RNA sequence: GGCCCGUUCGUCUAGGGGUUAGGACGCAAGAUUUUCAUUCUUGUAACACGGGUUCGAUUCCCGUACGGGCUACCA
Protein backbone atom coordinates (compact mmCIF):
# COMPACT_ATOMS: atom_id res chain seq x y z
CA UNK A 1 0.00 0.00 0.00
CA UNK A 2 1.16 3.44 -0.88
CA UNK A 3 2.30 5.51 2.05
CA UNK A 4 -0.51 7.62 3.44
CA UNK A 5 -0.22 11.38 3.41
CA UNK A 6 -2.86 13.45 5.19
CA UNK A 7 -3.07 17.13 5.77
CA UNK A 8 -4.75 19.41 8.23
CA UNK A 9 -5.41 22.66 6.41
CA UNK A 10 -6.76 25.41 8.66
CA UNK A 11 -7.01 28.99 7.66
CA UNK A 12 -5.35 31.50 9.96
CA UNK A 13 -8.36 33.67 10.61
CA UNK A 14 -8.27 33.52 14.39
CA UNK A 15 -8.27 30.91 17.11
CA UNK A 16 -8.54 27.32 15.99
CA UNK A 17 -12.02 26.00 16.65
CA UNK A 18 -12.39 22.78 18.60
CA UNK A 19 -14.05 21.16 15.59
CA UNK A 20 -10.88 21.94 13.70
CA UNK A 21 -8.90 20.18 16.38
CA UNK A 22 -11.02 17.09 15.94
CA UNK A 23 -10.43 17.21 12.19
CA UNK A 24 -6.70 17.50 12.85
CA UNK A 25 -6.92 14.59 15.27
CA UNK A 26 -8.65 12.26 12.82
CA UNK A 27 -6.15 13.15 10.11
CA UNK A 28 -3.33 12.50 12.54
CA UNK A 29 -4.80 9.21 13.70
CA UNK A 30 -5.30 7.80 10.24
CA UNK A 31 -1.83 8.90 9.15
CA UNK A 32 -0.12 7.43 12.18
CA UNK A 33 -2.10 4.23 12.14
CA UNK A 34 -0.59 3.41 8.78
CA UNK A 35 2.84 4.88 9.37
CA UNK A 36 1.96 7.79 7.12
CA UNK A 37 2.69 11.49 7.18
CA UNK A 38 0.71 14.20 8.93
CA UNK A 39 1.03 17.57 7.22
CA UNK A 40 0.07 21.05 8.33
CA UNK A 41 -0.83 23.43 5.53
CA UNK A 42 -1.81 27.02 6.16
CA UNK A 43 -4.63 28.18 3.91
CA UNK A 44 -4.05 31.89 3.99
CA UNK A 45 -5.55 32.84 0.65
CA UNK A 46 -8.04 35.27 2.11
CA UNK A 47 -6.02 38.37 2.79
CA UNK A 48 -8.98 40.24 4.20
CA UNK A 49 -9.53 37.71 6.95
CA UNK A 50 -5.90 37.06 7.80
CA UNK A 51 -5.19 37.43 11.51
CA UNK A 52 -1.61 37.83 12.73
CA UNK A 53 -0.67 35.28 15.33
CA UNK A 54 -3.23 32.76 14.21
CA UNK A 55 -0.66 30.48 12.63
CA UNK A 56 1.40 30.36 15.81
CA UNK A 57 -1.75 29.67 17.74
CA UNK A 58 -2.58 26.73 15.51
CA UNK A 59 0.87 25.24 15.94
CA UNK A 60 0.88 25.74 19.67
CA UNK A 61 -2.53 24.13 19.97
CA UNK A 62 -1.52 21.11 17.90
CA UNK A 63 1.62 20.69 19.93
CA UNK A 64 -0.23 21.00 23.20
CA UNK A 65 -2.38 18.08 22.12
CA UNK A 66 0.65 16.15 20.94
CA UNK A 67 -0.46 16.26 17.31
CA UNK A 68 2.89 17.38 15.96
CA UNK A 69 3.02 17.69 12.17
CA UNK A 70 5.66 15.79 10.23
CA UNK A 71 5.64 18.47 7.54
CA UNK A 72 4.51 22.04 7.57
CA UNK A 73 5.69 25.61 7.99
CA UNK A 74 8.50 25.38 10.50
CA UNK A 75 8.38 21.58 10.53
CA UNK A 76 10.32 20.88 7.35
CA UNK A 77 9.27 18.58 4.55
CA UNK A 78 10.05 18.51 0.85
CA UNK A 79 6.61 19.38 -0.48
CA UNK A 80 6.66 23.00 0.60
CA UNK A 81 6.14 25.79 0.87
CA UNK A 82 3.28 24.98 3.21
CA UNK A 83 1.66 28.40 3.24
CA UNK A 84 -0.63 28.94 0.30
CA UNK A 85 0.23 32.61 0.08
CA UNK A 86 3.75 31.46 -0.84
CA UNK A 87 2.47 29.25 -3.64
CA UNK A 88 0.64 31.91 -5.62
CA UNK A 89 2.45 31.33 -8.92
CA UNK A 90 1.57 27.66 -8.83
CA UNK A 91 -2.14 28.33 -8.78
CA UNK A 92 -1.82 30.96 -11.47
CA UNK A 93 0.04 28.52 -13.63
CA UNK A 94 -2.63 25.86 -13.32
CA UNK A 95 -5.59 28.17 -13.73
CA UNK A 96 -4.01 29.58 -16.88
CA UNK A 97 -3.54 26.03 -18.05
CA UNK A 98 -7.23 25.38 -17.46
CA UNK A 99 -8.20 28.45 -19.47
CA UNK A 100 -6.02 27.32 -22.33
CA UNK A 101 -7.59 23.91 -22.23
CA UNK A 102 -11.05 25.46 -22.38
CA UNK A 103 -11.98 24.22 -18.90
CA UNK A 104 -12.03 27.69 -17.35
CA UNK A 105 -12.46 31.25 -18.50
CA UNK A 106 -11.78 34.86 -17.65
CA UNK A 107 -14.70 36.75 -16.17
CA UNK A 108 -14.80 40.52 -16.00
CA UNK A 109 -18.08 41.08 -14.20
CA UNK A 110 -17.49 43.39 -11.27
CA UNK A 111 -18.65 42.49 -7.79
CA UNK A 112 -21.18 45.32 -8.12
CA UNK A 113 -22.60 43.89 -11.32
CA UNK A 114 -22.97 40.48 -9.73
CA UNK A 115 -24.61 42.00 -6.68
CA UNK A 116 -27.07 43.72 -8.97
CA UNK A 117 -27.85 40.41 -10.62
CA UNK A 118 -28.55 38.86 -7.27
CA UNK A 119 -30.79 41.70 -6.31
CA UNK A 120 -32.82 41.16 -9.43
CA UNK A 121 -32.94 37.41 -8.94
CA UNK A 122 -32.23 36.08 -5.45
CA UNK A 123 -31.49 32.68 -6.98
CA UNK A 124 -28.92 34.03 -9.38
CA UNK A 125 -26.09 31.63 -9.95
CA UNK A 126 -23.11 32.13 -12.25
CA UNK A 127 -23.56 28.92 -14.21
CA UNK A 128 -24.01 27.40 -17.66
CA UNK A 129 -27.49 28.84 -18.01
CA UNK A 130 -26.31 32.45 -17.76
CA UNK A 131 -22.61 32.48 -18.48
CA UNK A 132 -23.17 33.29 -22.16
CA UNK A 133 -24.96 36.47 -21.17
CA UNK A 134 -22.24 37.80 -18.91
CA UNK A 135 -18.94 39.56 -19.40
CA UNK A 136 -16.31 36.90 -19.87
CA UNK A 137 -13.86 35.41 -22.32
CA UNK A 138 -16.60 33.11 -23.58
CA UNK A 139 -18.78 35.98 -24.74
CA UNK A 140 -16.40 38.85 -25.47
CA UNK A 141 -14.47 39.10 -28.74
CA UNK A 142 -10.96 37.76 -28.42
CA UNK A 143 -9.33 41.14 -29.03
CA UNK A 144 -11.41 42.70 -26.34
CA UNK A 145 -10.35 40.04 -23.84
CA UNK A 146 -6.73 40.46 -24.78
CA UNK A 147 -7.09 44.20 -24.45
CA UNK A 148 -8.71 44.00 -21.05
CA UNK A 149 -6.01 41.66 -19.84
CA UNK A 150 -3.23 43.84 -21.22
CA UNK A 151 -4.83 46.88 -19.69
CA UNK A 152 -4.70 45.23 -16.29
CA UNK A 153 -8.43 45.18 -15.86
CA UNK A 154 -9.71 43.22 -12.88
CA UNK A 155 -10.74 39.69 -13.70
CA UNK A 156 -11.33 36.37 -12.07
CA UNK A 157 -10.94 32.92 -13.56
CA UNK A 158 -13.96 30.69 -13.31
CA UNK A 159 -14.36 26.98 -13.75
CA UNK A 160 -16.44 26.10 -16.79
CA UNK A 161 -18.75 23.50 -15.31
CA UNK A 162 -19.92 20.99 -17.94
CA UNK A 163 -23.64 20.62 -18.58
CA UNK A 164 -25.85 17.59 -18.03
CA UNK A 165 -23.46 15.45 -16.10
CA UNK A 166 -23.84 13.56 -12.91
CA UNK A 167 -20.87 14.14 -10.68
CA UNK A 168 -20.36 11.46 -8.07
CA UNK A 169 -18.19 11.53 -5.00
CA UNK A 170 -17.17 8.38 -3.18
CA UNK A 171 -17.20 9.41 0.45
CA UNK A 172 -15.67 7.06 3.02
CA UNK A 173 -18.25 8.10 5.57
CA UNK A 174 -21.36 8.57 3.48
CA UNK A 175 -20.88 6.34 0.49
CA UNK A 176 -21.67 7.63 -2.95
CA UNK A 177 -23.02 11.17 -3.15
CA UNK A 178 -24.16 12.48 -6.51
CA UNK A 179 -24.76 15.93 -7.91
CA UNK A 180 -26.31 17.17 -11.11
CA UNK A 181 -23.73 19.38 -12.78
CA UNK A 182 -26.51 21.74 -13.87
CA UNK A 183 -26.90 22.64 -10.21
CA UNK A 184 -23.27 23.56 -9.91
CA UNK A 185 -22.11 27.13 -10.43
CA UNK A 186 -18.98 28.26 -12.22
CA UNK A 187 -16.85 28.66 -9.15
CA UNK A 188 -14.22 31.33 -9.02
CA UNK A 189 -10.80 29.67 -9.15
CA UNK A 190 -8.58 32.68 -9.12
CA UNK A 191 -9.61 35.92 -7.47
CA UNK A 192 -9.00 39.43 -8.73
CA UNK A 193 -6.15 39.87 -6.25
CA UNK A 194 -4.33 36.97 -7.86
CA UNK A 195 -5.00 34.60 -4.98
CA UNK A 196 -6.75 31.31 -5.56
CA UNK A 197 -9.97 30.36 -3.86
CA UNK A 198 -10.06 27.41 -1.51
CA UNK A 199 -11.38 25.18 -4.26
CA UNK A 200 -8.45 25.74 -6.59
CA UNK A 201 -5.78 25.88 -3.91
CA UNK A 202 -6.81 22.74 -2.10
CA UNK A 203 -6.95 20.68 -5.28
CA UNK A 204 -3.61 21.91 -6.56
CA UNK A 205 -1.92 21.47 -3.21
CA UNK A 206 -3.41 18.09 -2.43
CA UNK A 207 -2.16 16.90 -5.78
CA UNK A 208 1.28 18.44 -5.51
CA UNK A 209 1.68 17.37 -1.90
CA UNK A 210 0.59 13.87 -2.85
CA UNK A 211 -2.24 13.81 -0.36
CA UNK A 212 -3.92 10.39 -0.30
CA UNK A 213 -6.86 11.05 2.03
CA UNK A 214 -8.85 14.17 2.73
CA UNK A 215 -10.63 14.21 6.06
CA UNK A 216 -12.56 17.42 6.57
CA UNK A 217 -15.84 18.76 7.93
CA UNK A 218 -19.20 18.10 6.34
CA UNK A 219 -19.50 21.74 5.33
CA UNK A 220 -17.22 20.77 2.42
CA UNK A 221 -19.34 17.96 1.10
CA UNK A 222 -21.35 20.12 -1.28
CA UNK A 223 -18.33 21.68 -2.92
CA UNK A 224 -16.58 18.35 -3.34
CA UNK A 225 -18.41 18.00 -6.64
CA UNK A 226 -16.50 21.03 -7.86
CA UNK A 227 -13.29 19.53 -6.62
CA UNK A 228 -13.92 16.33 -8.54
CA UNK A 229 -14.57 18.40 -11.66
CA UNK A 230 -11.31 20.23 -11.06
CA UNK A 231 -9.29 17.04 -10.73
CA UNK A 232 -10.84 15.94 -13.98
CA UNK A 233 -10.15 19.20 -15.79
CA UNK A 234 -6.55 19.13 -14.65
CA UNK A 235 -6.17 15.54 -15.74
CA UNK A 236 -5.46 14.36 -12.22
CA UNK A 237 -8.50 12.23 -11.61
CA UNK A 238 -6.50 9.04 -11.18
CA UNK A 239 -4.55 10.70 -8.38
CA UNK A 240 -7.58 12.12 -6.63
CA UNK A 241 -7.47 11.53 -2.85
CA UNK A 242 -10.12 9.62 -0.99
CA UNK A 243 -12.63 11.79 0.82
CA UNK A 244 -14.15 11.44 4.27
CA UNK A 245 -16.52 14.15 5.46
CA UNK A 246 -16.95 14.40 9.20
CA UNK A 247 -20.23 15.08 10.95
CA UNK A 248 -20.45 18.59 12.32
CA UNK A 249 -20.10 19.40 15.99
CA UNK A 250 -23.38 20.96 17.07
CA UNK A 251 -24.33 23.38 19.78
CA UNK A 252 -25.39 21.86 23.10
CA UNK A 253 -28.92 23.10 22.51
CA UNK A 254 -28.93 21.54 19.06
CA UNK A 255 -29.37 24.73 17.09
CA UNK A 256 -26.75 24.72 14.38
CA UNK A 257 -23.07 24.02 14.40
CA UNK A 258 -20.96 25.03 17.32
CA UNK A 259 -19.59 28.51 16.81
CA UNK A 260 -16.96 30.52 18.60
CA UNK A 261 -19.55 32.61 20.35
CA UNK A 262 -21.10 29.53 21.94
CA UNK A 263 -18.27 29.26 24.42
CA UNK A 264 -19.30 32.47 26.09
CA UNK A 265 -22.96 31.66 25.66
CA UNK A 266 -22.79 28.30 27.41
CA UNK A 267 -19.90 28.91 29.76
CA UNK A 268 -17.34 26.42 28.55
CA UNK A 269 -14.39 26.48 26.21
CA UNK A 270 -14.71 25.79 22.50
CA UNK A 271 -11.07 26.56 21.75
CA UNK A 272 -7.96 24.63 22.67
CA UNK A 273 -6.03 27.61 24.00
CA UNK A 274 -7.08 31.02 25.19
CA UNK A 275 -7.11 33.69 22.54
CA UNK A 276 -6.80 37.40 23.08
CA UNK A 277 -8.45 39.10 20.17
CA UNK A 278 -8.80 42.78 19.45
CA UNK A 279 -11.96 43.02 21.49
CA UNK A 280 -13.41 41.22 24.47
CA UNK A 281 -15.98 39.81 22.07
CA UNK A 282 -13.17 38.17 20.18
CA UNK A 283 -11.33 36.78 23.22
CA UNK A 284 -11.86 33.29 24.52
CA UNK A 285 -10.82 30.93 27.26
CA UNK A 286 -9.23 27.72 26.04
CA UNK A 287 -9.44 24.14 27.17
CA UNK A 288 -5.94 24.47 28.53
CA UNK A 289 -6.66 27.54 30.61
CA UNK A 290 -9.98 26.11 31.74
CA UNK A 291 -7.94 23.37 33.40
CA UNK A 292 -8.18 20.48 30.97
CA UNK A 293 -5.43 17.97 30.46
CA UNK A 294 -4.68 17.64 26.74
CA UNK A 295 -5.03 13.85 26.93
CA UNK A 296 -8.54 14.20 28.30
CA UNK A 297 -9.57 16.70 25.67
CA UNK A 298 -8.21 14.43 22.93
CA UNK A 299 -10.04 11.44 24.33
CA UNK A 300 -13.28 13.40 24.47
CA UNK A 301 -12.85 14.77 20.96
CA UNK A 302 -11.95 11.40 19.50
CA UNK A 303 -15.26 9.98 20.65
CA UNK A 304 -17.22 12.90 19.23
CA UNK A 305 -18.23 11.30 15.97
CA UNK A 306 -16.22 8.12 16.15
CA UNK A 307 -16.29 5.02 18.31
CA UNK A 308 -14.32 1.79 18.36
CA UNK A 309 -17.36 -0.47 18.59
CA UNK A 310 -16.20 -1.78 21.95
CA UNK A 311 -17.15 -0.56 25.39
CA UNK A 312 -13.80 1.04 26.03
CA UNK A 313 -14.11 4.77 26.78
CA UNK A 314 -10.69 5.83 27.94
CA UNK A 315 -7.98 5.92 25.29
CA UNK A 316 -4.47 7.27 25.19
CA UNK A 317 -3.34 8.86 21.93
CA UNK A 318 -1.37 5.69 21.18
CA UNK A 319 -4.42 3.53 21.74
CA UNK A 320 -6.45 5.81 19.52
CA UNK A 321 -3.88 5.44 16.78
CA UNK A 322 -4.16 1.66 17.04
CA UNK A 323 -7.93 1.55 17.21
CA UNK A 324 -9.00 4.31 14.84
CA UNK A 325 -10.68 3.57 11.55
CA UNK A 326 -12.49 5.80 9.10
CA UNK A 327 -15.16 3.13 8.66
CA UNK A 328 -16.37 3.71 12.20
CA UNK A 329 -16.88 7.45 11.85
CA UNK A 330 -20.51 8.42 12.39
CA UNK A 331 -22.71 10.17 9.89
CA UNK A 332 -24.89 12.31 12.08
CA UNK A 333 -24.05 15.60 13.73
CA UNK A 334 -22.76 15.50 17.25
CA UNK A 335 -23.82 17.61 20.19
CA UNK A 336 -21.00 19.09 22.24
CA UNK A 337 -21.42 17.74 25.77
CA UNK A 338 -19.22 19.55 28.24
CA UNK A 339 -20.24 17.25 31.11
CA UNK A 340 -18.77 14.28 29.33
CA UNK A 341 -15.62 16.26 28.67
CA UNK A 342 -15.34 17.09 32.36
CA UNK A 343 -15.82 13.48 33.31
CA UNK A 344 -12.92 12.52 31.06
CA UNK A 345 -10.77 15.20 32.61
CA UNK A 346 -11.57 13.99 36.10
CA UNK A 347 -10.68 10.44 35.12
CA UNK A 348 -7.36 11.58 33.70
CA UNK A 349 -6.53 13.63 36.77
CA UNK A 350 -7.23 10.66 39.01
CA UNK A 351 -5.03 8.37 36.95
CA UNK A 352 -2.31 10.82 35.97
CA UNK A 353 1.31 10.15 36.78
CA UNK A 354 2.25 12.05 39.96
CA UNK A 355 5.23 13.84 38.43
CA UNK A 356 3.24 14.86 35.40
CA UNK A 357 0.41 16.25 37.48
CA UNK A 358 2.88 18.06 39.69
CA UNK A 359 4.08 20.12 36.73
CA UNK A 360 0.52 20.93 35.71
CA UNK A 361 -0.56 22.00 39.19
CA UNK A 362 2.55 23.88 40.26
CA UNK A 363 1.94 26.93 38.03
CA UNK A 364 -1.64 27.19 39.21
CA UNK A 365 -0.56 27.36 42.83
CA UNK A 366 2.21 29.73 41.92
CA UNK A 367 -0.26 32.03 40.23
CA UNK A 368 -1.83 32.49 43.66
CA UNK A 369 1.47 33.39 45.17
CA UNK A 370 2.67 30.12 46.67
CA UNK A 371 5.69 28.04 45.78
CA UNK A 372 5.65 25.02 48.05
CA UNK A 373 8.32 22.32 47.90
CA UNK A 374 7.81 19.20 45.81
CA UNK A 375 7.11 16.95 48.79
CA UNK A 376 4.33 19.16 50.06
CA UNK A 377 2.88 19.66 46.59
CA UNK A 378 2.91 15.95 45.94
CA UNK A 379 1.13 15.27 49.20
CA UNK A 380 -1.39 17.94 48.36
CA UNK A 381 -2.04 16.50 44.90
CA UNK A 382 -2.54 13.00 46.22
CA UNK A 383 -5.08 14.25 48.74
CA UNK A 384 -6.90 16.40 46.20
CA UNK A 385 -6.80 14.57 42.87
CA UNK A 386 -9.99 12.63 43.47
CA UNK A 387 -11.71 15.90 44.21
CA UNK A 388 -10.68 17.84 41.12
CA UNK A 389 -12.53 17.98 37.84
CA UNK A 390 -10.38 20.70 36.33
CA UNK A 391 -6.83 21.65 37.28
CA UNK A 392 -8.22 24.88 38.68
CA UNK A 393 -10.14 22.87 41.23
CA UNK A 394 -6.89 22.03 42.99
CA UNK A 395 -6.76 25.64 44.09
CA UNK A 396 -10.48 26.33 44.29
CA UNK A 397 -11.19 23.33 46.49
CA UNK A 398 -7.87 23.13 48.28
CA UNK A 399 -6.57 26.67 48.76
CA UNK A 400 -6.58 26.10 52.52
CA UNK A 401 -3.50 23.92 52.14
CA UNK A 402 -1.61 27.12 51.42
CA UNK A 403 -3.30 29.75 53.52
CA UNK A 404 -5.68 30.00 56.43
CA UNK A 405 -9.36 29.47 55.77
CA UNK A 406 -10.90 32.66 54.45
CA UNK A 407 -14.20 31.88 56.07
CA UNK A 408 -15.85 29.24 58.17
CA UNK A 409 -18.95 27.32 57.23
CA UNK A 410 -21.28 29.10 59.65
CA UNK A 411 -24.18 26.74 59.32
CA UNK A 412 -22.02 23.82 60.32
CA UNK A 413 -20.62 25.76 63.25
CA UNK A 414 -24.09 26.54 64.51
CA UNK A 415 -24.80 22.88 64.24
CA UNK A 416 -21.59 21.40 65.66
CA UNK A 417 -20.06 23.96 67.99
CA UNK A 418 -21.04 24.63 71.55
CA UNK A 419 -19.27 27.57 73.23
CA UNK A 420 -19.01 25.69 76.50
CA UNK A 421 -16.86 23.13 74.79
CA UNK A 422 -14.11 25.57 73.92
CA UNK A 423 -12.09 24.49 76.94
CA UNK A 424 -12.43 20.91 75.92
CA UNK A 425 -11.22 21.56 72.38
CA UNK A 426 -8.35 23.70 73.61
CA UNK A 427 -7.30 20.73 75.67
CA UNK A 428 -7.44 18.48 72.60
CA UNK A 429 -5.44 20.98 70.61
CA UNK A 430 -2.86 21.01 73.36
CA UNK A 431 -2.60 17.24 73.37
CA UNK A 432 -2.19 17.12 69.62
CA UNK A 433 0.39 19.84 69.74
CA UNK A 434 2.54 17.90 72.16
CA UNK A 435 2.41 14.81 69.98
CA UNK A 436 5.69 13.21 68.96
CA UNK A 437 5.67 12.07 65.37
CA UNK A 438 2.92 14.14 63.85
CA UNK A 439 1.52 11.54 61.48
CA UNK A 440 -2.05 10.90 60.48
CA UNK A 441 -1.92 7.63 62.35
CA UNK A 442 -0.67 9.18 65.57
CA UNK A 443 -3.05 12.10 65.39
CA UNK A 444 -5.93 9.74 64.91
CA UNK A 445 -4.87 7.57 67.86
CA UNK A 446 -4.55 10.60 70.09
CA UNK A 447 -7.91 11.98 69.02
CA UNK A 448 -9.54 8.63 69.59
CA UNK A 449 -8.11 8.34 73.07
CA UNK A 450 -9.36 11.83 73.86
CA UNK A 451 -12.83 11.06 72.56
CA UNK A 452 -13.10 7.93 74.62
CA UNK A 453 -11.74 9.57 77.74
CA UNK A 454 -14.23 12.42 77.53
CA UNK A 455 -17.16 10.25 76.55
CA UNK A 456 -17.56 12.02 73.21
CA UNK A 457 -18.41 10.77 69.75
CA UNK A 458 -16.40 11.11 66.57
CA UNK A 459 -19.14 13.27 65.21
CA UNK A 460 -18.57 15.74 68.04
CA UNK A 461 -14.90 16.20 67.32
CA UNK A 462 -13.95 15.49 63.72
CA UNK A 463 -16.14 18.14 62.12
CA UNK A 464 -14.74 20.74 64.52
CA UNK A 465 -11.17 19.84 63.61
CA UNK A 466 -12.07 19.93 59.92
CA UNK A 467 -13.81 23.26 60.21
CA UNK A 468 -10.92 24.68 62.20
CA UNK A 469 -8.29 23.58 59.72
CA UNK A 470 -10.11 24.06 56.41
CA UNK A 471 -13.15 26.18 57.17
CA UNK A 472 -15.32 23.86 55.14
CA UNK A 473 -16.76 20.40 55.47
CA UNK A 474 -15.53 19.49 52.03
CA UNK A 475 -12.09 18.02 51.75
CA UNK A 476 -9.71 15.11 52.15
CA UNK A 477 -9.34 12.92 55.22
CA UNK A 478 -8.81 15.24 58.17
CA UNK A 479 -5.88 13.50 59.81
CA UNK A 480 -4.02 13.26 56.51
CA UNK A 481 -4.63 16.91 55.99
CA UNK A 482 -3.29 17.75 59.44
CA UNK A 483 -0.17 15.69 58.89
CA UNK A 484 0.60 17.50 55.66
CA UNK A 485 -0.02 20.94 57.11
CA UNK A 486 2.19 20.18 60.09
CA UNK A 487 1.85 20.51 63.82
CA UNK A 488 2.48 24.22 64.25
CA UNK A 489 0.25 25.36 61.43
CA UNK A 490 -2.60 23.18 62.60
CA UNK A 491 -2.25 24.36 66.19
CA UNK A 492 -2.27 27.99 65.12
CA UNK A 493 -5.39 27.48 63.02
CA UNK A 494 -7.22 25.52 65.68
CA UNK A 495 -6.60 28.07 68.46
CA UNK A 496 -7.69 30.91 66.25
CA UNK A 497 -10.72 29.02 64.97
CA UNK A 498 -12.06 28.16 68.40
CA UNK A 499 -12.12 31.83 69.31
CA UNK A 500 -13.89 32.61 66.07
CA UNK A 501 -16.38 29.81 66.57
CA UNK A 502 -17.43 31.32 69.86
CA UNK A 503 -18.06 34.64 68.18
CA UNK A 504 -19.94 33.07 65.35
CA UNK A 505 -22.23 31.06 67.60
CA UNK A 506 -22.85 34.01 69.98
CA UNK A 507 -23.71 36.96 67.80
C1' G B 1 -36.28 28.68 -2.21
C1' G B 2 -32.71 25.02 -4.62
C1' C B 3 -29.07 21.13 -3.89
C1' C B 4 -26.72 17.79 -0.42
C1' C B 5 -26.46 15.15 4.33
C1' G B 6 -28.64 13.18 8.59
C1' U B 7 -32.55 11.07 12.47
C1' U B 8 -31.65 4.65 18.56
C1' C B 9 -32.46 6.95 26.06
C1' G B 10 -31.78 14.40 27.82
C1' U B 11 -26.43 13.77 25.56
C1' C B 12 -22.40 10.52 23.17
C1' U B 13 -23.34 5.87 21.12
C1' A B 14 -23.55 -0.13 20.23
C1' G B 15 -26.63 -3.12 17.54
C1' G B 16 -29.20 -4.87 13.39
C1' G B 17 -34.97 -8.63 9.87
C1' G B 18 -37.13 -12.39 15.40
C1' U B 19 -32.63 -9.00 21.33
C1' U B 20 -35.30 -8.41 28.28
C1' A B 21 -32.58 -2.87 22.28
C1' G B 22 -26.29 -3.02 25.27
C1' G B 23 -22.60 0.66 27.21
C1' A B 24 -20.94 5.69 28.76
C1' C B 25 -22.15 10.81 30.58
C1' G B 26 -26.06 13.11 33.32
C1' C B 27 -29.86 12.46 36.91
C1' A B 28 -31.98 9.52 41.24
C1' A B 29 -31.44 5.90 45.22
C1' G B 30 -28.34 2.76 48.20
C1' A B 31 -23.45 0.81 50.09
C1' U B 32 -18.39 2.28 51.49
C1' U B 33 -15.89 6.74 53.42
C1' U B 34 -18.41 9.80 60.58
C1' U B 35 -17.06 15.37 55.60
C1' C B 36 -16.62 16.04 50.40
C1' A B 37 -14.94 13.33 46.44
C1' U B 38 -13.61 8.55 44.59
C1' U B 39 -15.33 3.52 44.10
C1' C B 40 -19.31 -0.10 43.85
C1' U B 41 -24.60 -1.54 43.25
C1' U B 42 -29.36 -0.43 41.54
C1' G B 43 -32.79 2.61 39.08
C1' U B 44 -34.37 6.31 35.21
C1' A B 45 -34.82 6.80 30.02
C1' A B 46 -34.63 5.65 23.17
C1' C B 47 -35.42 3.00 17.77
C1' A B 48 -39.25 10.65 14.57
C1' C B 49 -43.90 9.55 11.76
C1' G B 50 -46.71 7.13 7.63
C1' G B 51 -46.74 3.63 3.93
C1' G B 52 -44.68 -0.61 1.72
C1' U B 53 -41.38 -5.50 1.36
C1' U B 54 -41.72 -9.72 4.80
C1' C B 55 -44.44 -14.96 8.48
C1' G B 56 -42.04 -10.90 11.23
C1' A B 57 -39.55 -4.64 11.00
C1' U B 58 -36.14 -0.39 15.16
C1' U B 59 -33.12 -2.76 11.29
C1' C B 60 -34.45 -2.97 4.02
C1' C B 61 -37.28 0.51 0.36
C1' C B 62 -40.33 4.95 -0.53
C1' G B 63 -42.50 9.19 1.28
C1' U B 64 -43.41 12.91 5.23
C1' A B 65 -41.74 15.64 9.26
C1' C B 66 -37.82 17.54 11.79
C1' G B 67 -32.63 18.90 12.18
C1' G B 68 -28.15 20.34 9.78
C1' G B 69 -24.77 21.93 5.78
C1' C B 70 -23.91 24.53 1.24
C1' U B 71 -25.85 28.14 -1.96
C1' A B 72 -19.30 34.66 -1.77
C1' C B 73 -13.80 37.25 -5.89
C1' C B 74 -14.64 33.10 2.93
C1' A B 75 -12.47 29.02 4.25
Amino acid sequence: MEKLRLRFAPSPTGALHIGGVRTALYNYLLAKKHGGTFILRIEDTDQARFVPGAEDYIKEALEWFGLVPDEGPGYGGDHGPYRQSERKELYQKYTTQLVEAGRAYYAFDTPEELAAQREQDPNFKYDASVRMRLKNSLTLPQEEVAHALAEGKDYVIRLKVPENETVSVQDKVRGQVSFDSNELDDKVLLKADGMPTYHMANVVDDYLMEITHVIRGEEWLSSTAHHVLLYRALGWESRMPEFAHLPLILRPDGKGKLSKRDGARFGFPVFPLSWNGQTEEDSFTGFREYGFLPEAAINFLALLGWNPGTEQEVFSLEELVDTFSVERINKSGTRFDIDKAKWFNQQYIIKADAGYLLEKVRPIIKAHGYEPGDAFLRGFIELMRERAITLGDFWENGYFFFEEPREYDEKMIQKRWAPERKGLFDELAGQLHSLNGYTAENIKAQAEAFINEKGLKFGDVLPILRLGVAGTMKGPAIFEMMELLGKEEVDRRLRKAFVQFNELSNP
Side-chain angles (χ1 to χ4, degrees), chain A residues 102-117:
Chain A
R103 313 300 290 260
Y105 57 90
Y106 296 102
F108 301 96
D109 320 84
T110 64
E112 292 73 30
E113 285 167 346
L114 294 176
Q117 291 278 1

Side-chain angles (χ1 to χ4, degrees), chain A residues 90-104:
Chain A
L90 248 21
Y91 312 118
Q92 286 169 349
K93 172 182 149 196
Y94 287 110
T95 40
T96 307
Q97 187 179 307
L98 284 173
V99 173
E100 284 164 2
R103 313 300 290 260

Side-chain angles (χ1 to χ4, degrees), chain A residues 5 52 56 77 96 99 121 182 237 271 292 300 329 369 379 401 418 479 483:
Chain A
R5 291 176 58 81
D56 287 337
T96 307
V99 173
D121 172 13
N182 295 334
E237 199 174 1
F271 290 97
F292 271 88
F300 165 69
I329 293 175
F401 278 93
F479 300 124
E483 174 182 334

